[in-house]
Amino acid sequence: MPGAAESVFVSYVGADRAWAEWVAWHLREAGHRVELDVWDWRTGDNFVERMDRALGRATAVVALFSSSYFDRARWTREEWTSAVARRRRLVPLTIEPLDGGEVPDILAAVIRKDLHGLDEQAAITALREAVAGPTGPLTAPPFPGTTGAAAPSVDAGGVRPRLPGGAGLPEVWNVPRRNPHFIGREATMTRVREALLAGRQTVVQALHGLGGIGKTQLVLEYAHRFASQYDTVWWIDAEQADQIPVHYTELAARLGIAAPGAGTGHTTRTLIEHLRTRERWLIVLDNADEPGAFETLLPTGPGHVLITSRNPGWKDLVPSHGLDVFPRGDSVAYLATRIPDIATHQADSLADGLGDLPLALAQAAGVITTGMTPDRYRRLLNDKTTRLMANGAPPGYPAHLAATVDIATARLSSAHPQATELLRLAAFLGPDPIPTAWLETTVGRLATLTVDPDDFMWPQSALQHLSRSGLARVDHETFQVHRLTQAIVRDHTGEADATAAEHDVTTLLAAIAPSDAVDPVGWPTWAALTSHLTAGLHTAAQHPPLHATLIRAARYLCVSGQSHAARDLTAALHPLWINALGEDHPDTLGIAQYLGHATADLGTEATARRIIEDTLERRLRVLGPDHPDTLNSANDLAATLDSLGEYEQARRLHENTLEHRLRVLGPDHPDTLTSASNLANALDSLGEYGQAHHMIEDTLERRLRVLGPDHPNTLNSANDLATAVARLGEYREARRIFEDTLERRLSVQGPRHPDTLAGASNLANALDNLGEHEQARSLHKDTLDQRRRTLGPDHPDTLTSANNLANALDNLGEHEQARSLHKDTLDQRRRTLGPDHPDTLTSANNLANALDNLGEHEQARSLHMDTLERHRLILGPDHPETFTSANNLATALANLRQFRAAEQILGDARARSRRVLGENHPDTQRVTENLAQVLTALGRPFEAHRLRATGGKKGQRRKRR
């Protein structure tokens, strides 16, 4: 070889894997170091990291140009652009004809080497010259396009790859036409190919899954994609196992080994013996649903067998791959390919309605491309599912989905009626997995299921038949019926049977619902249950026995942090129940309560207030002032007023609600403790820190005793205690409590729950107060990112995190970044909360501080003056927030050398802070130190000394959280 060995990375698309293997094998034979993902990367590796490292090591990137290579959605774009950016040597090899418009302009001038259209020896020469320069004559093994058996050369665990397309299709070939619209499934294709190459003797792989899942299409694509690697590829419709010998006889005749007059049994044995001595053959057994019938019919020898089946029982006999519906990205990509003008949101909605089932996607594309709009098709799916799914079989599929389901259910009904009953019941539940434990718990109460009390194998026996028929996916704890299969089964169910099934579904869902929606122990059950309640919401809403369950489900969604889902559920139910039950019915008011709760949790408190006030007014009139439900609404209204910054009104309503709950429910009832906790928060908002601290301690003690240490309400009280401790300046103790509470919340509620994110935000504030600004910045940034994703950019909690991150940046000296973030946060708070909301004034105060730090003292003074006036008006002159505003304004005045004005403001602020917070509070100490500095600047050092003797704290201004 004339050139030095290169370190080569092979860049290609999945559809061209056969070419990639052939190129990699011959480059290794030529002495180059070659990295090929499917040979060298392990399952579980991070694809992006491995690609980046490989490109970093490579001295040459061999790019296999094809029409698919330049698709914008392919990773190949990152690979070739990285090679260009790193100035790596790019070696383009064209493996199919390309027109001028397919290759990007930046690569158009790069000299390419054509491999397509060459025989194998010429292609090897062209490949080696492209990578290492011209070579002399090569001595190579015989061209493997002949049918004779040859000892395989092995690399990367398999037979030496043959030049793709070099010999055309195999001489023995009966595979159906390729699906021109095949897309996706690359990961599964890779797993199948790797498994087939892993062994030296016969390798059998089965693909199993629901009807219409795309098993046949995947194997069909495999056969065409890797046709050049085989001498014989024989496709068999294996649905009728007793006909396999007939198909084998046809293959034997094509191979020239069938003896004249011999029976199919003899010829089958002859074929199997023949294949044992041959290599490079592929047998496809399509739709082989009875594994036991194939025990003596699977060929052996150095070849491959691929099986498709609805029956997962194959996994007990041969290595198998369970095929699921398309990932959503593949569904959208498929629809975009078939329907070029479809918008992404339309494709996503259509894929959702079709449950990402490949056959259904193909049928939908066929209808839409003949004149129906995607939006109309999506609407028709709601109540015309069966008729749509009976509208023609797309090319490559034997039947449309409705027929596929009908045939399977007819067979199931005649052979296994118990399984049919279970299928019908499942059709009236949701499309998500159904825990089998639900059936075991309620079987005696379900009228539509015929179960022998002594049949200890039920429901497993019925589920096994459902699974084998391809009508359900079954694992050891759940089973699942596809949403379109459900719709077709429902449409074919008579009115009486449908009514009975709906009644049984109501019985089942009501029976398995946990009684407590707040305790996280029951949340896994609620998570599964809620998906089935919401799937058939109109039906569920019409069954009064489910009303209480639906109301508790709404509460679960609220307390588990699923505010959007809670709002969607309650907003759908509320008008339904108004029409069916009336506006003042207790169930209507119950769902209205959680509609208000969810609306408030989404940060739209003004809208929530109107809903909650209306609910409270109706409950007062219908139920009276002492009814627990009325008190729930009163509590919700008070909490909403607190969020709106109307602290005095909130305090009065919380006090009244707590008084009623103490009298009606007692001091230790969870609802009473909720009122006590909320009143303490209102007192904290009003700056009455000492009283709030005392009430929080008492509430926490009671909740620990009544609810336990890990209950969400107990964790709320622990968080409140840490906040109260921090208000009093005890930052280290606050940090300790915040850390413990956050750890518990992560364990109990998870990392994305709003309460967990609030705990993380509070801990970051404690770190900032302790001077650990870098740690605080990191935690604030992570919390802000999480809140933006889960709550949205304008949610009050998100804006709180933005404010706190800006403070941390200011503390780290990154004043320009802090100013920018504070300005953006202030603008958003003014827009969403209004100019006088306490949170808006907090942002104004902090932006003014950032301006002061940047030397823009006049702008800072003006903003501080406006903020102080608003604080005095909204919160009063004796609120700690007002002291802070006064202190910060005085600092800005001092920076402008207006010391007498600063002295007057600081003197008043210090007197008020000493009276409200105490002499030793950090905020009082800050004001004292700032006043001492101003007195010194005024030439009165002895007065400053006396002030400092009372205790001052270094630092001029106070940021608000």
Side-chain angles (χ1 to χ4, degrees):
M1 188 173 68
E6 298 272 9
S7 180
V8 178
F9 175 74
V10 182
S11 173
Y12 70 102
V13 297
D16 299 328
R17 174 175 169 167
W19 274 103
E21 291 177 344
W22 182 87
V23 165
W25 193 92
H26 283 286
L27 288 178
R28 285 188 179 180
E29 283 284 286
H32 297 291
R33 296 181 298 277
V34 182
E35 185 154 0
L36 184 65
D37 55 358
V38 293
W39 286 354
D40 301 311
W41 299 354
R42 296 179 302 177
T43 301
D45 283 352
N46 184 300
F47 175 82
V48 177
E49 290 179 0
R50 289 301 303 261
M51 180 178 70
D52 187 63
R53 288 200 295 268
L55 289 167
R57 287 190 295 266
T59 59
V61 175
V62 171
L64 305 184
F65 284 9
S66 65
S67 57
S68 300
Y69 186 85
F70 297 106
D71 287 350
R72 297 188 65 85
R74 301 282 189 176
W75 281 107
T76 47
R77 181 176 180 82
E78 280 70 23
E79 292 171 357
W80 70 257
T81 53
S82 177
V84 172
R86 296 171 190 252
R87 298 185 182 278
R88 296 290 188 266
R89 181 171 169 237
L90 187 68
V91 182
L93 305 173
T94 57
I95 57 176
E96 66 183 34
L98 299 174
D99 61 47
E102 291 180 279
V103 180
D105 291 342
I106 194 173
L107 299 178
V110 180
I111 297 174
R112 304 193 291 271
K113 180 77 73 173
D114 291 339
L115 298 187
H116 63 86
L118 304 178
D119 62 29
E120 186 160 30
Q121 187 57 66
I124 293 171
T125 302
L127 170 64
R128 293 185 176 185
E129 287 182 352
V131 175
T135 65
L138 300 174
T139 300
F143 181 57
T146 62
T147 57
S153 301
V154 178
D155 189 272
V159 176
R160 187 190 75 162
R162 177 182 287 161
L163 176 68
L169 292 176
E171 182 178 346
V172 179
W173 169 269
N174 74 332
V175 177
R177 188 177 62 180
R178 194 172 196 171
N179 182 352
H181 305 301
F182 182 86
I183 197 169
R185 303 292 197 200
E186 292 299 335
T188 305
M189 186 78 72
T190 297
R191 288 195 298 272
V192 170
R193 178 66 175 164
E194 288 173 350
L196 291 174
L197 294 177
R200 295 174 182 271
Q201 293 301 311
T202 308
V203 180
V204 182
Q205 295 284 301
L207 289 95
H208 61 83
L210 303 177
I213 209 79
K215 304 176 293 294
T216 297
Q217 299 304 309
L218 176 60
V219 174
L220 182 63
E221 174 65 16
Y222 177 92
H224 280 276
R225 186 177 296 185
F226 296 100
S228 61
Q229 305 304 302
Y230 297 99
D231 298 327
T232 297
V233 181
W234 200 250
W235 188 281
I236 295 174
D237 181 356
E239 185 171 7
Q240 295 178 302
D242 59 354
Q243 293 299 303
I244 299 301
V246 175
H247 296 296
Y248 279 172
T249 298
E250 294 172 356
L251 173 57
R254 286 288 299 274
L255 292 172
I257 61 171
T264 56
H266 174 81
T267 304
T268 294
R269 290 190 293 273
T270 300
L271 173 68
I272 290 176
E273 184 61 33
H274 175 78
L275 293 177
R276 189 177 294 120
T277 65
R278 312 292 290 181
E279 63 178 28
R280 294 191 185 275
W281 52 262
L282 169 65
I283 305 295
V284 176
L285 298 173
D286 187 36
N287 203 22
D289 287 336
E290 294 298 333
F294 288 83
E295 188 172 350
T296 62
L297 295 175
L298 293 179
T300 60
H304 300 160
V305 179
L306 279 177
I307 298 167
T308 72
S309 179
R310 296 183 179 199
N311 191 342
W314 276 103
K315 65 179 180 286
D316 297 328
L317 302 178
V318 300
S320 298
H321 305 269
L323 211 58
D324 203 349
V325 296
F326 269 162
R328 180 57 51 83
D330 284 357
S331 298
V332 171
Y334 175 83
L335 291 171
T337 300
R338 294 290 312 278
I339 313 167
D341 295 332
I342 194 170
T344 300
H345 73 275
Q346 291 176 311
D348 184 78
S349 174
L350 187 55
D352 184 65
L354 295 167
D356 297 293
L357 188 71
L359 171 54
L361 292 165
Q363 286 187 234
V367 173
I368 291 169
T369 53
T370 57
M372 184 181 290
T373 66
D375 290 339
R376 174 169 168 73
Y377 194 98
R378 180 67 181 90
R379 289 193 300 271
L380 289 173
L381 268 176
N382 293 329
D383 55 0
K384 307 291 184 185
T385 305
T386 301
R387 290 179 63 184
L388 283 177
M389 293 300 103
N391 198 344
Y397 289 89
H400 53 66
L401 183 62
T404 300
V405 173
D406 285 346
I407 292 168
T409 52
R411 290 175 179 172
L412 187 71
S413 181
S414 62
H416 308 289
Q418 281 190 330
T420 305
E421 293 172 350
L422 193 53
L423 174 65
R424 185 180 300 120
L425 178 67
F428 287 86
L429 285 161
D432 288 334
I434 304 166
T436 53
W438 292 2
L439 302 173
E440 296 164 358
T441 300
T442 59
V443 60
R445 288 172 275 180
L446 304 180
T448 60
L449 298 181
T450 306
V451 181
D452 182 348
D454 296 327
D455 183 4
F456 64 89
M457 288 301 296
W458 191 92
Q460 284 72 26
S461 54
L463 289 172
Q464 185 180 46
H465 296 305
L466 265 184
S467 175
R468 288 178 174 175
S469 69
L471 291 167
R473 292 186 61 196
V474 179
D475 64 23
H476 65 288
E477 291 184 341
T478 64
F479 71 105
Q480 183 177 15
V481 180
H482 192 274
R483 66 177 69 237
L484 297 180
T485 301
Q486 289 179 306
I488 293 168
V489 171
R490 286 196 303 269
D491 283 352
H492 292 173
T493 300
E495 184 176 350
D497 286 340
T499 300
E502 288 179 3
H503 183 273
D504 272 0
V505 165
T506 299
T507 301
L508 185 151
L509 295 177
I512 55 90
S515 58
D516 187 354
V518 180
D519 190 346
V521 171
W523 286 0
T525 300
W526 274 116
L529 173 61
T530 302
S531 71
H532 291 281
L533 283 168
T534 56
L537 195 56
H538 285 73
T539 299
Q542 294 167 6
H543 289 76
L546 272 184
H547 287 188
T549 303
L550 285 162
I551 293 171
R552 294 206 306 279
R555 187 181 189 192
Y556 151 73
L557 291 170
C558 286
V559 298
S560 63
Q562 301 177 67
S563 305
H564 287 283
R567 193 267 314 276
D568 292 347
L569 172 63
T570 53
L573 283 175
H574 191 235
L576 288 175
W577 288 2
I578 286 176
N579 291 332
L581 306 173
E583 290 184 290
D584 292 339
H585 191 281
D587 290 348
T588 306
L589 296 175
I591 213 67
Q593 174 186 332
Y594 292 108
L595 174 59
H597 196 311
T599 304
D601 287 344
L602 289 170
T604 49
E605 280 90 355
T607 303
R609 177 180 185 170
R610 292 193 293 272
I611 298 169
I612 295 167
E613 283 179 332
D614 179 74
T615 306
L616 174 58
E617 180 184 338
R618 294 177 185 279
R619 279 177 160 173
L620 282 166
R621 186 176 67 252
V622 174
L623 302 176
D626 286 340
H627 193 282
D629 290 349
T630 305
L631 297 176
N632 286 339
S633 286
N635 172 80
D636 288 351
L637 178 57
T640 303
L641 292 171
D642 196 58
S643 296
L644 289 167
E646 300 179 22
Y647 299 144
E648 194 57 58
Q649 283 183 267
R651 189 251 289 274
R652 289 196 297 271
L653 187 51
H654 275 313
E655 286 177 336
N656 181 266
T657 306
L658 176 59
E659 180 184 338
H660 278 74
R661 280 177 161 171
L662 282 167
R663 177 165 45 80
V664 174
L665 303 174
D668 288 339
H669 191 280
D671 290 352
T672 305
L673 297 177
T674 294
S675 277
S677 175
N678 290 341
L679 175 57
N681 287 332
L683 293 170
D684 179 81
S685 298
L686 287 164
E688 299 178 21
Y689 298 150
Q691 192 176 349
H693 181 240
H694 173 75
M695 182 169 282
I696 289 167
E697 282 189 320
D698 179 72
T699 305
L700 175 59
E701 180 184 339
R702 293 174 185 274
R703 278 177 161 170
L704 282 166
R705 175 163 41 81
V706 173
L707 303 175
D710 290 333
H711 192 281
N713 290 349
T714 306
L715 296 175
N716 287 340
S717 282
N719 180 79
D720 292 344
L721 177 61
T723 300
V725 167
R727 297 281 198 217
L728 298 173
E730 300 173 21
Y731 300 134
R732 294 196 180 280
E733 176 63 9
R735 173 186 181 170
R736 183 192 66 78
I737 301 173
F738 277 135
E739 285 179 332
D740 177 73
T741 306
L742 179 58
E743 184 178 343
R744 291 175 183 272
R745 277 179 161 167
L746 284 166
S747 174
V748 173
Q749 295 169 293
R752 295 182 181 84
H753 193 285
D755 289 351
T756 304
L757 297 175
S761 179
N762 291 336
L763 174 58
N765 286 339
L767 294 170
D768 226 359
N769 287 330
L770 289 167
E772 300 179 24
H773 304 311
E774 192 57 60
Q775 280 183 269
R777 187 251 291 270
S778 177
L779 187 52
H780 275 314
K781 185 177 186 310
D782 180 67
T783 306
L784 175 59
D785 290 343
Q786 291 273 20
R787 279 176 158 170
R788 280 175 172 161
R789 283 194 297 271
T790 58
L791 302 176
D794 290 338
H795 192 282
D797 290 354
T798 304
L799 298 178
T800 294
S801 277
N803 170 79
N804 294 346
L805 174 58
N807 283 342
L809 292 169
D810 212 20
N811 289 332
L812 287 165
E814 300 177 20
H815 304 309
E816 193 59 60
Q817 284 182 266
R819 187 254 292 271
S820 177
L821 186 52
H822 275 313
K823 174 69 168 60
D824 181 64
T825 307
L826 175 58
D827 290 344
Q828 288 179 282
R829 279 177 159 172
R830 281 173 171 165
R831 177 170 49 81
T832 58
L833 302 177
D836 291 333
H837 191 284
D839 288 352
T840 305
L841 300 182
T842 292
S843 280
N845 171 80
N846 291 338
L847 174 58
N849 286 342
L851 292 169
D852 222 3
N853 288 331
L854 287 166
E856 301 176 20
H857 306 309
E858 187 56 50
Q859 283 182 269
R861 181 194 66 81
S862 176
L863 186 53
H864 274 312
M865 285 187 66
D866 178 75
T867 306
L868 177 57
E869 289 176 11
R870 292 175 186 271
H871 269 133
R872 284 172 173 164
L873 181 65
I874 302 301
L875 300 177
D878 286 338
H879 195 286
E881 295 279 357
T882 308
F883 307 157
T884 294
S885 263
N887 175 71
N888 293 344
L889 171 59
T891 299
L893 291 169
N895 287 333
L896 290 166
R897 305 192 66 76
Q898 298 178 22
F899 297 121
R900 293 196 182 280
E903 178 195 4
Q904 183 178 0
I905 292 172
L906 288 170
D908 178 73
R910 179 172 180 267
R912 293 176 186 276
S913 187
R914 291 174 73 191
R915 185 173 69 252
V916 174
L917 299 177
E919 189 77 56
N920 296 322
H921 192 280
D923 286 359
T924 305
Q925 293 177 345
R926 285 187 183 89
V927 176
T928 300
E929 172 59 24
N930 287 345
L931 179 56
Q933 291 180 16
V934 167
L935 291 172
T936 300
L938 287 168
R940 294 150 61 184
F942 295 109
E943 289 182 60
H945 178 72
R946 285 197 300 273
L947 272 179
R948 287 192 173 102
T950 65
K953 182 173 182 179
K954 188 175 181 180
Q956 294 184 330
R957 61 180 60 84
R958 175 78 165 134
K959 300 178 179 68
R960 304 310 297 177
R961 307 296 179 183

